[in-house]
Amino acid sequence: MKTNLYWIFLFLFTFINCKQESKHKDYAIAIHGGAGAILRKEMSAEKEKEYMSALNNALDIGEKILKEGGTAMKAVEQVIIFLEDNPLFNAGKGAVFTNKGEHELDASIMDGQTAQAGAVGGVRVIKNPIRLARLVMEKSPHVFLIARGAETFGIVNGLDTVSNDWFDTEFRKKTWIKALEAEAKDSLGKLGMKYVNADSKFGTVGCVALDLKGHLAAGTSSGGMTNKRWGRIGDAPIIGAGTYAEDGVAAVSCTGHGEYFIRNVVAYDLIARMKYGTATLAQASHEIIHEKLKSLGGDGGLIAVDHAGNIELCFNSIGMYRGWAKAGKREVKIFK
Ligand code: GLY
C-alpha cells in the first residue's frame, strides 16, 4: 500500500512539474516600416493616419496568429506579406526605384527554434519576396539565392509573380527622378554614390516575434535604396546583418543605411553581446545603434524581442515607423 502511494505521489509530482515546464509564456511582437528622416512637419495628418492604421493592421495580423497559438515564423511571414503588399512601405509594392527605373527586392527570414534561415536578393518579379525567402529555407538546401535563379526557384515552387512595374508607385517614382536630376547636375554623381537614396528615407519592413511556446523568429524585406545600381544588395537579406533569431536569446530585424549594418553585422552583434557578454536587450540595442553605428555615421534602427518577451525599438534617425504588442498592451509610433 505504502509503495503504491509512493508511485502515485511520484506520478502526480512529475505530471505537475511537466505541466509547469510546458506552461505557455506570453507572446510578444514588434514591427518596423523603416527608419529615416521622417519629419512630422513634412507629413500630412491624413498620411500619418494611413501609416498608423497600416502599422496597427500589421500588428492585428501578428497578434491574432500568436494569440491562437500560431508560430513566431507564421506571424513574422504574414505580417511582412501585409507590409509588402502595402504601397506605403519600401518593400514589395511601393519599393524604391533603381537607377534603371526598376525594382530589385531583398528579403530574409530566420527561425530561432531551428537556426534555419532563408534569404533572397535582387528579385524582380516575385510578388512577396518574404515568401520566397521562407521557401528557400524550407525547400532548398541553401540559405541565400539571388536574382533570376531565386525567381526560377520561386516560380517552380508555385509562388505568385507580377511584372516588375507592378511595384511602381508615383511617390517612389518622384523620389527617383529627383535623385537622377540631382545626380545629373553634379559630376561627382557619375560615380553613382552620392545620390543613392537622395531622400534620406529608408523604409524597409521587418517583424520579430516570440510565440506562446517560447520560440523566436525574425524577418526583414526591402526595396533597398533609391537609385541603387550595379546589383547593390543591402543588409535586409543578409543573415546576421539585417536579420537574426536564436531561441533563448533574441530575434532582431534592422532598418537603415544597409552598408553600415552589413559592415557591423548588427543583428548578430546584438545576439553576441547578450549571449557571450552580459548585456541586456536594452543595453545591447542602445550600444549598437546609439554608440557604435552613430559614431560611424550609420543611420537607422532595429527592433528586437528577447526570450523573456522584452521588446526594444531603437533608432538614431529622426523617426522610425514602428509598433509592438503583448497581451493587452500595444504601442504604435512614427516620430521620436
Ligand atoms: N536597410 C535596407 C537597405 O539598406 O537596403
Side-chain angles (χ1 to χ4, degrees), residues 18 93 139 225 240 314:
C18 289
K93 174 96 187 156
K139 297 245 167 85
M225 298 173 100
C314 190

Side-chain angles (χ1 to χ4, degrees), residues 23-37:
K23 189 172 161 256
H24 284 182
K25 299 181 176 190
D26 282 337
Y27 68 85
I29 182 166
I31 57 171
H32 69 75

Side-chain angles (χ1 to χ4, degrees), residues 9-10 17 60 115 152 157 164 168 188 199 225 262 294 297:
F9 178 75
L10 189 69
N17 259 351
D60 287 344
T152 305
N157 280 288
N164 191 252
D168 285 7
L188 267 182
D199 61 349
M225 298 173 100
I262 295 170
K294 198 160 174 111

Side-chain angles (χ1 to χ4, degrees), residues 106 204 222 224-225 232 234-236 255-259:
D106 303 334
T204 297
S222 183
M225 298 173 100
R232 183 263 185 192
D235 59 316
T255 166
H257 195 151
E259 280 67 14

